[in-house]
Amino acid sequence: MSATLERPTPLPGSRGPLFDDSLAPIRAKIEKGERLSLADGELLFTTPDIWTVCELADLVRRRLHGDTAFYNINRHLNYSNVCALSCKFCEFYRKKDEPGAYTRDMAYVKEQVREAVENGATEMHSVGGLHPYLPFSYYTDLVSTIRDTARELGSELHVKAFTAVEIVHLAKIAKVYKADDRTSGIRHVLEKLKEAGLGSLPGGGAEVFDDRVHDEAYKGKIRSDVWLDVHRVAHDLGLNTNATILYGHIEQRHDRLVHMDMLRRAQDRALAKMGYEGIGQQTTGISKDNAALRESGHLGYSGDEGSEVPIITLTRPGTPLPEHIAFSDTPSLPLSVSPSLPRGYFQTIIPLPFFPDGSELEHLPGPAGLENLRTLAIARLMLDNFPHVKAFWIMQTLPMAQLMLQSGADDIDGTVVWYDITKVGGSSTHQEVNVWTLQKAIREAGFKPVERDTLYRRVERDGKAWRSRLIS
Ligand code: V47
């Protein structure tokens, strides 16, 4: 395909097209499935030609997922809003005796599970504040209660729970966290939670991987290197995870690009461990290690210190998605990968626009429509080894999620019901759409709706029963 861009004729009386020829080299890289540089990312952020940015993201998205767009039937359960931290962007947290503080007991959890199962949910997404007093057993009970209650009702609920920030907090509560050997404490906690029924980790708590922004807006929270360590250990244990980026507050656009770059380096390592290395995927160039990142003032993560792995992208036509490898021991797959290799990786990036209302950063305007669209499209283009990009409709709104489906997103999350962390336009915590509305939004955007489970397998339903099948 040619890398030359054709200039459209301006409409009579218009100010002329915003067409930007300088994007041609980026288009050429995308057509070949090559990794974009940070400088490419800067250009994508500054060009007035946002429509080409969205079109390029759509090209990648269609290569990976054709005209499929995913949704799921899920519930969120915030077990407590009591938090030892006071992040400036956060409106959710309360101190223990403050009005509005809550901590859910297991009777409440069971009731939520019952309601979720009755309504066909396949996933319970559960996160909370860093509660200073709850014992470690509370968290293992929470996970096993969700799993076991669903089973007693003749169903299954995938438990996607605890951000990396909470995992480190739990390691401290369980008294297994050592600053000089983070991995073993994190591993201990994740193993115990996995035994209790934990299925995957959500992507929260990443915010923006930049120390200046961290110290100014969420001091006290774990830094990028620790966040990445938790996800690396989870991947090694075969747990899939997600990643978020919280943007539009005090960070710069450059910080967003560095964040994306750090995530894709971590994913290079996860995919290499899964067996992608040396089997015909994009391997031109080396994914730099932490030393290089530290030199540029950004901490990497402690795993695989000093090791180099190839750049691994998933965006070349015909590259199998990791979910196909993770679930398969069958020879019909394009890759034959040993079942004993780790099967954990990042599934999806979820760009989260900052909501100022009620936070300590309320004086900031927060990002608006085009900035949200552009950031999501750039996430699709920069994160070439993330299989999925989620337009979280709760924070983006459903109409914007439709535009995002045409600009790089392939997933709009789920039916949700109760969501405490942000309230769009001052709405209540009851934020629910039904399946019909999600499907309609996807169809209107020009895509085929597919119900997925948490691990991106197709959900097939027969009355109240459901089962997962690999999407080929
Ligand atoms: O970690 C907090 C963010 C996150 C605000 O993994 C805010 O599938 C905007 O991680 N404005 C929690 N954002 C949400 C989250 C998530 C959501 C949906 C799906 C998944 C997934 C993960 O919300 C927090 C924080 O980064 N957040 N306050 C705010 N004022």
Side-chain angles (χ1 to χ4, degrees), residues 76 89-91 125 160 163 201-207 221 242 244 246 348 350 352-356 359 390 392 395 413 419 421-422:
H76 281 243
F89 62 79
C90 184
E91 187 266 331
H125 177 156
K160 180 174 84 179
T163 66
L201 294 189
E207 322 316 358
K221 208 165 216 175
N242 294 337
T244 53
L246 174 66
T348 181
I350 308 139
L352 301 174
F354 167 57
F355 279 79
S359 77
K390 187 187 285 190
F392 183 43
M395 289 199 203
D413 202 75
Y419 195 70
I421 297 175
T422 50

PDB file of all heavy atoms in Angstrom, residues 76 89-91 125 160 163 201-207 221 242 244 246 348 350 352-356 359 390 392 395 413 419 421-422, ligand 1:
ATOM      1  N   HIS A  76     -20.014  -3.996  39.496  1.00  0.00           N
ATOM      2  CA  HIS A  76     -18.901  -3.475  40.296  1.00  0.00           C
ATOM      3  C   HIS A  76     -19.299  -3.552  41.765  1.00  0.00           C
ATOM      4  O   HIS A  76     -20.439  -3.242  42.115  1.00  0.00           O
ATOM      5  CB  HIS A  76     -18.613  -2.006  39.937  1.00  0.00           C
ATOM      6  CG  HIS A  76     -17.834  -1.850  38.674  1.00  0.00           C
ATOM      7  ND1 HIS A  76     -16.578  -1.298  38.635  1.00  0.00           N
ATOM      8  CD2 HIS A  76     -18.133  -2.187  37.406  1.00  0.00           C
ATOM      9  CE1 HIS A  76     -16.132  -1.295  37.394  1.00  0.00           C
ATOM     10  NE2 HIS A  76     -17.063  -1.823  36.618  1.00  0.00           N
ATOM     11  N   PHE A  89      -6.818  13.685  43.149  1.00  0.00           N
ATOM     12  CA  PHE A  89      -7.789  13.560  42.054  1.00  0.00           C
ATOM     13  C   PHE A  89      -9.027  12.783  42.474  1.00  0.00           C
ATOM     14  O   PHE A  89      -9.999  12.694  41.737  1.00  0.00           O
ATOM     15  CB  PHE A  89      -7.148  12.860  40.838  1.00  0.00           C
ATOM     16  CG  PHE A  89      -6.695  11.455  41.129  1.00  0.00           C
ATOM     17  CD1 PHE A  89      -7.598  10.411  41.160  1.00  0.00           C
ATOM     18  CD2 PHE A  89      -5.365  11.189  41.413  1.00  0.00           C
ATOM     19  CE1 PHE A  89      -7.191   9.123  41.456  1.00  0.00           C
ATOM     20  CE2 PHE A  89      -4.943   9.901  41.710  1.00  0.00           C
ATOM     21  CZ  PHE A  89      -5.858   8.867  41.739  1.00  0.00           C
ATOM     22  N   CYS A  90      -9.001  12.215  43.692  1.00  0.00           N
ATOM     23  CA  CYS A  90     -10.006  11.214  44.064  1.00  0.00           C
ATOM     24  C   CYS A  90     -11.142  11.813  44.877  1.00  0.00           C
ATOM     25  O   CYS A  90     -10.916  12.488  45.882  1.00  0.00           O
ATOM     26  CB  CYS A  90      -9.321  10.086  44.847  1.00  0.00           C
ATOM     27  SG  CYS A  90     -10.444   8.750  45.254  1.00  0.00           S
ATOM     28  N   GLU A  91     -12.360  11.522  44.456  1.00  0.00           N
ATOM     29  CA  GLU A  91     -13.547  12.000  45.163  1.00  0.00           C
ATOM     30  C   GLU A  91     -14.172  10.855  45.962  1.00  0.00           C
ATOM     31  O   GLU A  91     -15.058  11.050  46.769  1.00  0.00           O
ATOM     32  CB  GLU A  91     -14.521  12.539  44.098  1.00  0.00           C
ATOM     33  CG  GLU A  91     -15.759  13.231  44.582  1.00  0.00           C
ATOM     34  CD  GLU A  91     -16.947  12.283  44.674  1.00  0.00           C
ATOM     35  OE1 GLU A  91     -17.002  11.303  43.909  1.00  0.00           O
ATOM     36  OE2 GLU A  91     -17.810  12.522  45.520  1.00  0.00           O
ATOM     37  N   HIS A 125     -16.400  -7.090  39.438  1.00  0.00           N
ATOM     38  CA  HIS A 125     -15.203  -6.235  39.482  1.00  0.00           C
ATOM     39  C   HIS A 125     -15.207  -5.565  40.854  1.00  0.00           C
ATOM     40  O   HIS A 125     -16.093  -4.775  41.168  1.00  0.00           O
ATOM     41  CB  HIS A 125     -15.317  -5.198  38.355  1.00  0.00           C
ATOM     42  CG  HIS A 125     -14.206  -4.201  38.286  1.00  0.00           C
ATOM     43  ND1 HIS A 125     -13.885  -3.541  37.136  1.00  0.00           N
ATOM     44  CD2 HIS A 125     -13.344  -3.729  39.202  1.00  0.00           C
ATOM     45  CE1 HIS A 125     -12.872  -2.720  37.343  1.00  0.00           C
ATOM     46  NE2 HIS A 125     -12.536  -2.809  38.596  1.00  0.00           N
ATOM     47  N   LYS A 160     -12.664 -10.292  39.234  1.00  0.00           N
ATOM     48  CA  LYS A 160     -11.595  -9.364  38.815  1.00  0.00           C
ATOM     49  C   LYS A 160     -11.488  -8.360  39.941  1.00  0.00           C
ATOM     50  O   LYS A 160     -12.403  -7.541  40.132  1.00  0.00           O
ATOM     51  CB  LYS A 160     -12.005  -8.695  37.503  1.00  0.00           C
ATOM     52  CG  LYS A 160     -10.985  -7.715  36.972  1.00  0.00           C
ATOM     53  CD  LYS A 160     -11.374  -7.205  35.594  1.00  0.00           C
ATOM     54  CE  LYS A 160     -12.329  -6.056  35.680  1.00  0.00           C
ATOM     55  NZ  LYS A 160     -12.711  -5.507  34.366  1.00  0.00           N
ATOM     56  N   THR A 163      -6.661  -3.506  42.704  1.00  0.00           N
ATOM     57  CA  THR A 163      -5.617  -2.859  41.897  1.00  0.00           C
ATOM     58  C   THR A 163      -4.258  -3.215  42.497  1.00  0.00           C
ATOM     59  O   THR A 163      -4.166  -3.687  43.640  1.00  0.00           O
ATOM     60  CB  THR A 163      -5.770  -1.328  41.915  1.00  0.00           C
ATOM     61  OG1 THR A 163      -5.521  -0.884  43.269  1.00  0.00           O
ATOM     62  CG2 THR A 163      -7.145  -0.889  41.465  1.00  0.00           C
ATOM     63  N   LEU A 201      -6.619  -9.249  37.542  1.00  0.00           N
ATOM     64  CA  LEU A 201      -6.486  -7.942  38.200  1.00  0.00           C
ATOM     65  C   LEU A 201      -7.026  -6.848  37.280  1.00  0.00           C
ATOM     66  O   LEU A 201      -6.707  -6.841  36.085  1.00  0.00           O
ATOM     67  CB  LEU A 201      -5.024  -7.593  38.486  1.00  0.00           C
ATOM     68  CG  LEU A 201      -4.215  -8.414  39.474  1.00  0.00           C
ATOM     69  CD1 LEU A 201      -2.870  -7.732  39.735  1.00  0.00           C
ATOM     70  CD2 LEU A 201      -4.945  -8.619  40.785  1.00  0.00           C
ATOM     71  N   PRO A 202      -7.794  -5.906  37.831  1.00  0.00           N
ATOM     72  CA  PRO A 202      -8.214  -4.767  37.020  1.00  0.00           C
ATOM     73  C   PRO A 202      -7.037  -3.809  36.812  1.00  0.00           C
ATOM     74  O   PRO A 202      -5.969  -3.980  37.392  1.00  0.00           O
ATOM     75  CB  PRO A 202      -9.307  -4.126  37.874  1.00  0.00           C
ATOM     76  CG  PRO A 202      -8.983  -4.509  39.271  1.00  0.00           C
ATOM     77  CD  PRO A 202      -8.278  -5.832  39.215  1.00  0.00           C
ATOM     78  N   GLY A 203      -7.266  -2.787  36.001  1.00  0.00           N
ATOM     79  CA  GLY A 203      -6.139  -1.937  35.597  1.00  0.00           C
ATOM     80  C   GLY A 203      -5.932  -0.681  36.420  1.00  0.00           C
ATOM     81  O   GLY A 203      -5.070   0.139  36.093  1.00  0.00           O
ATOM     82  N   GLY A 204      -6.693  -0.512  37.498  1.00  0.00           N
ATOM     83  CA  GLY A 204      -6.655   0.755  38.228  1.00  0.00           C
ATOM     84  C   GLY A 204      -5.360   1.012  38.982  1.00  0.00           C
ATOM     85  O   GLY A 204      -4.498   0.145  39.100  1.00  0.00           O
ATOM     86  N   GLY A 205      -5.256   2.240  39.480  1.00  0.00           N
ATOM     87  CA  GLY A 205      -4.134   2.619  40.346  1.00  0.00           C
ATOM     88  C   GLY A 205      -2.868   2.987  39.609  1.00  0.00           C
ATOM     89  O   GLY A 205      -1.891   3.398  40.229  1.00  0.00           O
ATOM     90  N   ALA A 206      -2.870   2.880  38.284  1.00  0.00           N
ATOM     91  CA  ALA A 206      -1.645   3.202  37.537  1.00  0.00           C
ATOM     92  C   ALA A 206      -1.477   4.719  37.437  1.00  0.00           C
ATOM     93  O   ALA A 206      -0.355   5.221  37.431  1.00  0.00           O
ATOM     94  CB  ALA A 206      -1.713   2.586  36.143  1.00  0.00           C
ATOM     95  N   GLU A 207      -2.588   5.424  37.341  1.00  0.00           N
ATOM     96  CA  GLU A 207      -2.629   6.887  37.147  1.00  0.00           C
ATOM     97  C   GLU A 207      -1.710   7.266  35.983  1.00  0.00           C
ATOM     98  O   GLU A 207      -1.921   6.830  34.890  1.00  0.00           O
ATOM     99  CB  GLU A 207      -2.275   7.626  38.447  1.00  0.00           C
ATOM    100  CG  GLU A 207      -2.813   7.013  39.747  1.00  0.00           C
ATOM    101  CD  GLU A 207      -4.266   6.542  39.757  1.00  0.00           C
ATOM    102  OE1 GLU A 207      -4.999   6.688  38.776  1.00  0.00           O
ATOM    103  OE2 GLU A 207      -4.679   5.932  40.769  1.00  0.00           O
ATOM    104  N   LYS A 221       1.025   6.817  47.263  1.00  0.00           N
ATOM    105  CA  LYS A 221       0.625   5.653  46.453  1.00  0.00           C
ATOM    106  C   LYS A 221       1.883   4.973  45.918  1.00  0.00           C
ATOM    107  O   LYS A 221       2.936   5.624  45.830  1.00  0.00           O
ATOM    108  CB  LYS A 221      -0.196   6.168  45.274  1.00  0.00           C
ATOM    109  CG  LYS A 221      -1.187   5.208  44.744  1.00  0.00           C
ATOM    110  CD  LYS A 221      -2.181   5.908  43.841  1.00  0.00           C
ATOM    111  CE  LYS A 221      -3.545   5.281  44.034  1.00  0.00           C
ATOM    112  NZ  LYS A 221      -4.600   5.936  43.307  1.00  0.00           N
ATOM    113  N   ASN A 242      -5.332  -5.872  33.491  1.00  0.00           N
ATOM    114  CA  ASN A 242      -5.608  -4.729  32.622  1.00  0.00           C
ATOM    115  C   ASN A 242      -4.725  -3.563  33.051  1.00  0.00           C
ATOM    116  O   ASN A 242      -4.070  -3.627  34.094  1.00  0.00           O
ATOM    117  CB  ASN A 242      -7.079  -4.316  32.734  1.00  0.00           C
ATOM    118  CG  ASN A 242      -7.999  -5.388  32.183  1.00  0.00           C
ATOM    119  OD1 ASN A 242      -7.584  -6.207  31.362  1.00  0.00           O
ATOM    120  ND2 ASN A 242      -9.246  -5.384  32.635  1.00  0.00           N
ATOM    121  N   THR A 244      -4.668   0.953  33.175  1.00  0.00           N
ATOM    122  CA  THR A 244      -5.366   2.220  32.931  1.00  0.00           C
ATOM    123  C   THR A 244      -4.349   3.342  32.770  1.00  0.00           C
ATOM    124  O   THR A 244      -3.166   3.180  33.109  1.00  0.00           O
ATOM    125  CB  THR A 244      -6.287   2.592  34.118  1.00  0.00           C
ATOM    126  OG1 THR A 244      -5.507   2.561  35.327  1.00  0.00           O
ATOM    127  CG2 THR A 244      -7.454   1.646  34.242  1.00  0.00           C
ATOM    128  N   LEU A 246      -4.773   7.511  33.746  1.00  0.00           N
ATOM    129  CA  LEU A 246      -5.656   8.601  34.194  1.00  0.00           C
ATOM    130  C   LEU A 246      -5.055   9.908  33.684  1.00  0.00           C
ATOM    131  O   LEU A 246      -3.973  10.304  34.128  1.00  0.00           O
ATOM    132  CB  LEU A 246      -5.732   8.598  35.723  1.00  0.00           C
ATOM    133  CG  LEU A 246      -6.495   9.743  36.377  1.00  0.00           C
ATOM    134  CD1 LEU A 246      -7.973   9.694  36.032  1.00  0.00           C
ATOM    135  CD2 LEU A 246      -6.321   9.709  37.892  1.00  0.00           C
ATOM    136  N   THR A 348      -6.035  -5.333  28.192  1.00  0.00           N
ATOM    137  CA  THR A 348      -6.649  -4.115  27.651  1.00  0.00           C
ATOM    138  C   THR A 348      -6.110  -2.865  28.328  1.00  0.00           C
ATOM    139  O   THR A 348      -5.785  -2.895  29.513  1.00  0.00           O
ATOM    140  CB  THR A 348      -8.190  -4.200  27.779  1.00  0.00           C
ATOM    141  OG1 THR A 348      -8.773  -3.029  27.229  1.00  0.00           O
ATOM    142  CG2 THR A 348      -8.664  -4.323  29.190  1.00  0.00           C
ATOM    143  N   ILE A 350      -7.202   0.962  29.349  1.00  0.00           N
ATOM    144  CA  ILE A 350      -8.443   1.721  29.556  1.00  0.00           C
ATOM    145  C   ILE A 350      -8.071   3.172  29.858  1.00  0.00           C
ATOM    146  O   ILE A 350      -7.672   3.493  30.978  1.00  0.00           O
ATOM    147  CB  ILE A 350      -9.261   1.129  30.731  1.00  0.00           C
ATOM    148  CG1 ILE A 350      -9.459  -0.367  30.526  1.00  0.00           C
ATOM    149  CG2 ILE A 350     -10.606   1.834  30.876  1.00  0.00           C
ATOM    150  CD1 ILE A 350      -9.319  -1.183  31.776  1.00  0.00           C
ATOM    151  N   LEU A 352      -8.655   6.682  31.133  1.00  0.00           N
ATOM    152  CA  LEU A 352      -9.662   7.245  32.035  1.00  0.00           C
ATOM    153  C   LEU A 352      -9.519   8.765  32.077  1.00  0.00           C
ATOM    154  O   LEU A 352      -8.510   9.291  32.558  1.00  0.00           O
ATOM    155  CB  LEU A 352      -9.483   6.690  33.459  1.00  0.00           C
ATOM    156  CG  LEU A 352      -9.576   5.168  33.629  1.00  0.00           C
ATOM    157  CD1 LEU A 352      -9.236   4.771  35.071  1.00  0.00           C
ATOM    158  CD2 LEU A 352     -10.961   4.651  33.256  1.00  0.00           C
ATOM    159  N   PRO A 353     -10.521   9.500  31.580  1.00  0.00           N
ATOM    160  CA  PRO A 353     -10.448  10.964  31.625  1.00  0.00           C
ATOM    161  C   PRO A 353     -10.686  11.463  33.047  1.00  0.00           C
ATOM    162  O   PRO A 353     -11.596  10.978  33.730  1.00  0.00           O
ATOM    163  CB  PRO A 353     -11.585  11.396  30.700  1.00  0.00           C
ATOM    164  CG  PRO A 353     -12.555  10.256  30.682  1.00  0.00           C
ATOM    165  CD  PRO A 353     -11.773   9.000  30.981  1.00  0.00           C
ATOM    166  N   PHE A 354      -9.907  12.425  33.490  1.00  0.00           N
ATOM    167  CA  PHE A 354     -10.026  12.933  34.857  1.00  0.00           C
ATOM    168  C   PHE A 354     -11.342  13.697  35.053  1.00  0.00           C
ATOM    169  O   PHE A 354     -11.688  14.579  34.268  1.00  0.00           O
ATOM    170  CB  PHE A 354      -8.824  13.847  35.153  1.00  0.00           C
ATOM    171  CG  PHE A 354      -8.997  14.653  36.402  1.00  0.00           C
ATOM    172  CD1 PHE A 354      -9.239  14.043  37.635  1.00  0.00           C
ATOM    173  CD2 PHE A 354      -8.913  16.042  36.362  1.00  0.00           C
ATOM    174  CE1 PHE A 354      -9.421  14.790  38.786  1.00  0.00           C
ATOM    175  CE2 PHE A 354      -9.084  16.799  37.515  1.00  0.00           C
ATOM    176  CZ  PHE A 354      -9.337  16.174  38.727  1.00  0.00           C
ATOM    177  N   PHE A 355     -12.067  13.355  36.129  1.00  0.00           N
ATOM    178  CA  PHE A 355     -13.278  14.085  36.524  1.00  0.00           C
ATOM    179  C   PHE A 355     -12.960  14.950  37.731  1.00  0.00           C
ATOM    180  O   PHE A 355     -12.732  14.424  38.823  1.00  0.00           O
ATOM    181  CB  PHE A 355     -14.391  13.098  36.930  1.00  0.00           C
ATOM    182  CG  PHE A 355     -15.109  12.536  35.760  1.00  0.00           C
ATOM    183  CD1 PHE A 355     -14.553  11.514  35.016  1.00  0.00           C
ATOM    184  CD2 PHE A 355     -16.338  13.049  35.382  1.00  0.00           C
ATOM    185  CE1 PHE A 355     -15.207  11.008  33.912  1.00  0.00           C
ATOM    186  CE2 PHE A 355     -17.001  12.539  34.272  1.00  0.00           C
ATOM    187  CZ  PHE A 355     -16.431  11.524  33.536  1.00  0.00           C
ATOM    188  N   PRO A 356     -12.961  16.264  37.580  1.00  0.00           N
ATOM    189  CA  PRO A 356     -12.540  17.122  38.689  1.00  0.00           C
ATOM    190  C   PRO A 356     -13.538  17.207  39.851  1.00  0.00           C
ATOM    191  O   PRO A 356     -13.130  17.410  40.997  1.00  0.00           O
ATOM    192  CB  PRO A 356     -12.399  18.509  38.044  1.00  0.00           C
ATOM    193  CG  PRO A 356     -12.594  18.324  36.582  1.00  0.00           C
ATOM    194  CD  PRO A 356     -13.254  17.008  36.352  1.00  0.00           C
ATOM    195  N   SER A 359     -13.158  16.671  43.832  1.00  0.00           N
ATOM    196  CA  SER A 359     -11.778  16.306  44.201  1.00  0.00           C
ATOM    197  C   SER A 359     -11.001  17.553  44.617  1.00  0.00           C
ATOM    198  O   SER A 359     -11.479  18.677  44.468  1.00  0.00           O
ATOM    199  CB  SER A 359     -11.079  15.633  43.015  1.00  0.00           C
ATOM    200  OG  SER A 359     -10.685  16.610  42.073  1.00  0.00           O
ATOM    201  N   LYS A 390     -10.227  -0.351  25.688  1.00  0.00           N
ATOM    202  CA  LYS A 390     -11.591  -0.219  26.215  1.00  0.00           C
ATOM    203  C   LYS A 390     -12.010   1.245  26.353  1.00  0.00           C
ATOM    204  O   LYS A 390     -11.293   2.050  26.939  1.00  0.00           O
ATOM    205  CB  LYS A 390     -11.642  -0.878  27.603  1.00  0.00           C
ATOM    206  CG  LYS A 390     -13.036  -0.961  28.189  1.00  0.00           C
ATOM    207  CD  LYS A 390     -13.020  -1.461  29.626  1.00  0.00           C
ATOM    208  CE  LYS A 390     -12.765  -2.950  29.712  1.00  0.00           C
ATOM    209  NZ  LYS A 390     -12.984  -3.457  31.099  1.00  0.00           N
ATOM    210  N   PHE A 392     -14.379   2.979  28.361  1.00  0.00           N
ATOM    211  CA  PHE A 392     -15.204   2.704  29.545  1.00  0.00           C
ATOM    212  C   PHE A 392     -16.369   3.702  29.535  1.00  0.00           C
ATOM    213  O   PHE A 392     -16.206   4.867  29.869  1.00  0.00           O
ATOM    214  CB  PHE A 392     -14.320   2.869  30.787  1.00  0.00           C
ATOM    215  CG  PHE A 392     -14.996   2.553  32.089  1.00  0.00           C
ATOM    216  CD1 PHE A 392     -15.811   1.448  32.233  1.00  0.00           C
ATOM    217  CD2 PHE A 392     -14.782   3.357  33.204  1.00  0.00           C
ATOM    218  CE1 PHE A 392     -16.424   1.156  33.448  1.00  0.00           C
ATOM    219  CE2 PHE A 392     -15.375   3.074  34.420  1.00  0.00           C
ATOM    220  CZ  PHE A 392     -16.199   1.973  34.534  1.00  0.00           C
ATOM    221  N   MET A 395     -17.243   6.474  32.198  1.00  0.00           N
ATOM    222  CA  MET A 395     -16.480   7.721  32.285  1.00  0.00           C
ATOM    223  C   MET A 395     -16.474   8.481  30.957  1.00  0.00           C
ATOM    224  O   MET A 395     -16.314   9.685  30.928  1.00  0.00           O
ATOM    225  CB  MET A 395     -15.046   7.433  32.722  1.00  0.00           C
ATOM    226  CG  MET A 395     -14.936   6.999  34.169  1.00  0.00           C
ATOM    227  SD  MET A 395     -13.259   7.199  34.772  1.00  0.00           S
ATOM    228  CE  MET A 395     -13.253   6.048  36.125  1.00  0.00           C
ATOM    229  N   ASP A 413     -16.847  -2.078  27.840  1.00  0.00           N
ATOM    230  CA  ASP A 413     -17.113  -2.551  29.207  1.00  0.00           C
ATOM    231  C   ASP A 413     -18.557  -3.045  29.293  1.00  0.00           C
ATOM    232  O   ASP A 413     -19.096  -3.524  28.298  1.00  0.00           O
ATOM    233  CB  ASP A 413     -16.784  -1.493  30.270  1.00  0.00           C
ATOM    234  CG  ASP A 413     -16.532  -2.117  31.643  1.00  0.00           C
ATOM    235  OD1 ASP A 413     -15.444  -2.697  31.828  1.00  0.00           O
ATOM    236  OD2 ASP A 413     -17.402  -2.059  32.521  1.00  0.00           O
ATOM    237  N   TYR A 419     -21.708   2.302  40.449  1.00  0.00           N
ATOM    238  CA  TYR A 419     -20.326   2.732  40.271  1.00  0.00           C
ATOM    239  C   TYR A 419     -20.062   3.956  41.130  1.00  0.00           C
ATOM    240  O   TYR A 419     -20.665   5.012  40.936  1.00  0.00           O
ATOM    241  CB  TYR A 419     -20.049   3.043  38.784  1.00  0.00           C
ATOM    242  CG  TYR A 419     -18.560   3.128  38.545  1.00  0.00           C
ATOM    243  CD1 TYR A 419     -17.778   1.987  38.612  1.00  0.00           C
ATOM    244  CD2 TYR A 419     -17.938   4.355  38.321  1.00  0.00           C
ATOM    245  CE1 TYR A 419     -16.415   2.055  38.440  1.00  0.00           C
ATOM    246  CE2 TYR A 419     -16.577   4.427  38.141  1.00  0.00           C
ATOM    247  CZ  TYR A 419     -15.816   3.272  38.202  1.00  0.00           C
ATOM    248  OH  TYR A 419     -14.463   3.336  38.046  1.00  0.00           O
ATOM    249  N   ILE A 421     -16.912   5.435  41.917  1.00  0.00           N
ATOM    250  CA  ILE A 421     -15.649   6.182  41.853  1.00  0.00           C
ATOM    251  C   ILE A 421     -15.791   7.523  41.141  1.00  0.00           C
ATOM    252  O   ILE A 421     -15.290   8.532  41.604  1.00  0.00           O
ATOM    253  CB  ILE A 421     -14.527   5.303  41.241  1.00  0.00           C
ATOM    254  CG1 ILE A 421     -14.304   4.098  42.179  1.00  0.00           C
ATOM    255  CG2 ILE A 421     -13.225   6.081  41.071  1.00  0.00           C
ATOM    256  CD1 ILE A 421     -13.326   3.063  41.687  1.00  0.00           C
ATOM    257  N   THR A 422     -16.511   7.550  40.039  1.00  0.00           N
ATOM    258  CA  THR A 422     -16.809   8.835  39.385  1.00  0.00           C
ATOM    259  C   THR A 422     -18.286   8.857  39.026  1.00  0.00           C
ATOM    260  O   THR A 422     -18.875   7.828  38.735  1.00  0.00           O
ATOM    261  CB  THR A 422     -16.010   9.008  38.066  1.00  0.00           C
ATOM    262  OG1 THR A 422     -16.176   7.830  37.284  1.00  0.00           O
ATOM    263  CG2 THR A 422     -14.539   9.245  38.333  1.00  0.00           C
TER     264      THR A 422
HETATM  265  O1  V47 B   1      -7.619   3.692  39.799  1.00  0.00           O
HETATM  266  C1  V47 B   1     -10.260   7.859  40.458  1.00  0.00           C
HETATM  267  C2  V47 B   1      -9.575   6.374  38.531  1.00  0.00           C
HETATM  268  C3  V47 B   1      -9.677   4.122  38.656  1.00  0.00           C
HETATM  269  C4  V47 B   1     -10.998   9.557  39.349  1.00  0.00           C
HETATM  270  O2  V47 B   1      -9.705  -3.027  34.601  1.00  0.00           O
HETATM  271  C5  V47 B   1     -10.648   8.570  38.445  1.00  0.00           C
HETATM  272  O3  V47 B   1     -11.466  -3.381  33.398  1.00  0.00           O
HETATM  273  C6  V47 B   1     -11.268   9.884  36.701  1.00  0.00           C
HETATM  274  O4  V47 B   1      -9.427   1.248  37.173  1.00  0.00           O
HETATM  275  N1  V47 B   1     -11.612  10.905  37.514  1.00  0.00           N
HETATM  276  C7  V47 B   1     -10.600   2.960  38.941  1.00  0.00           C
HETATM  277  N2  V47 B   1     -10.785   8.724  37.133  1.00  0.00           N
HETATM  278  C8  V47 B   1     -11.330   2.510  37.692  1.00  0.00           C
HETATM  279  C9  V47 B   1     -10.587   1.453  36.959  1.00  0.00           C
HETATM  280  C10 V47 B   1     -11.296   0.624  35.948  1.00  0.00           C
HETATM  281  C11 V47 B   1     -12.530   1.029  35.451  1.00  0.00           C
HETATM  282  C12 V47 B   1     -13.158   0.211  34.521  1.00  0.00           C
HETATM  283  C13 V47 B   1     -12.619  -0.985  34.106  1.00  0.00           C
HETATM  284  C14 V47 B   1     -11.390  -1.369  34.617  1.00  0.00           C
HETATM  285  C15 V47 B   1     -10.808  -2.677  34.191  1.00  0.00           C
HETATM  286  C16 V47 B   1     -10.714  -0.565  35.535  1.00  0.00           C
HETATM  287  O5  V47 B   1     -10.466   5.287  38.496  1.00  0.00           O
HETATM  288  C17 V47 B   1      -8.711   4.516  39.712  1.00  0.00           C
HETATM  289  C18 V47 B   1      -8.320   5.906  39.253  1.00  0.00           C
HETATM  290  O6  V47 B   1      -7.296   5.842  38.308  1.00  0.00           O
HETATM  291  N3  V47 B   1     -10.173   7.558  39.156  1.00  0.00           N
HETATM  292  N4  V47 B   1     -10.780   9.108  40.588  1.00  0.00           N
HETATM  293  C19 V47 B   1     -11.486  10.776  38.843  1.00  0.00           C
HETATM  294  N5  V47 B   1     -11.825  11.785  39.656  1.00  0.00           N
END
